[in-house]
Amino acid sequence: MATKIRLKRLGKIRSPHYRIVVMDSRTKRDGRAIEEIGIYHPKNDPSVIQVNSERAQYWLSVGAQPTEAVVAIFKRSGDWQKFTGDTSPSGIDPQPEKADKIARFNAALAEADDAPKADAITKKAPKADEAAKADEAAKADEAEAKVDDQAAEPEVSAEAPAEGDAEVVEAAEAEKADETQVDA
């Protein structure tokens, strides 16, 4: 019987989980397996690869043919190098415990700005705070300059109208006359 070492797919849509299995080459992809020798979860960060090295070496030694995907997984775990006698390093490092996201964020931010870890998430970055103050000061200076410009402009009096403004002056004088009549 021709045996293959291949992946058996499990899991939901867009969330695959695989088992590394030894199967007859004529069975379906997700059919009945002879033996399960490992797991592979590619969607986890970092992906999970666990292989029973002793059983993998046994099946390789009795002639089971691994698929390309399984060979890549075996190279990552170091089992392929044991089988072939290759001296190249395996690709999986021991997976350290993950720190929580806030701790990693604070550490990265502290390294970037040389700020203490405790202040990294609670306060604004000092550079952004200084830039905001500079923008506010510039806006305040512009507002003062506009007020000064308006005060310096001479006012046009009704007694010395410019040419072409005769109608406006007559309307203003008529309104003044109406106000004085109402008061009397």
Side-chain angles (χ1 to χ4, degrees):
M1 167 171 44
T3 55
K4 283 201 164 268
I5 302 174
R6 60 186 186 194
L7 297 176
K8 179 178 181 177
R9 190 184 193 282
L10 303 169
K12 300 180 200 175
I13 296 173
R14 289 183 279 291
S15 178
H17 291 64
Y18 297 97
R19 291 186 184 159
I20 303 169
V21 295
V22 178
M23 301 179 99
D24 182 6
S25 63
R26 297 168 289 188
T27 59
K28 298 186 289 186
R29 176 191 70 177
D30 299 336
R32 185 170 172 220
I34 297 170
E35 183 179 358
E36 295 178 1
I37 60 173
I39 61 171
Y40 172 53
H41 300 280
K43 289 289 189 171
N44 292 4
D45 184 31
S47 61
V48 174
I49 298 174
Q50 294 176 354
V51 178
N52 184 346
S53 182
E54 183 179 309
R55 295 307 295 164
Q57 293 300 319
Y58 167 77
W59 283 106
L60 289 170
S61 68
V62 295
Q65 294 297 309
T67 61
E68 290 180 14
V70 173
V71 169
I73 291 171
F74 282 172
K75 284 182 180 179
R76 297 278 315 252
S77 66
D79 292 319
W80 189 252
Q81 287 85 337
K82 286 181 191 176
F83 175 68
T84 60
D86 191 7
T87 59
S88 63
S90 65
I92 296 179
D93 296 329
Q95 298 175 358
E97 291 284 327
K98 276 189 164 181
D100 62 346
K101 289 183 180 180
I102 294 175
R104 288 188 290 157
F105 173 75
N106 286 337
L109 194 57
E111 289 174 9
D113 293 336
D114 293 29
K117 289 183 181 179
D119 296 334
I121 199 166
T122 56
K123 292 183 179 179
K124 290 183 178 179
K127 294 177 183 175
D129 202 20
E130 292 173 8
K133 287 180 182 178
D135 289 340
E136 290 176 14
K139 289 179 182 177
D141 290 342
E142 288 177 15
E144 289 177 17
K146 286 182 181 178
V147 170
D148 291 341
D149 290 342
Q150 290 175 354
E153 291 180 7
E155 294 184 16
V156 177
S157 64
E159 296 173 7
E163 293 181 22
D165 288 339
E167 295 174 3
V168 175
V169 172
E170 289 176 14
E173 289 176 1
E175 286 179 1
K176 286 183 186 178
D178 289 339
E179 287 177 9
T180 54
Q181 289 177 2
V182 171
D183 290 339

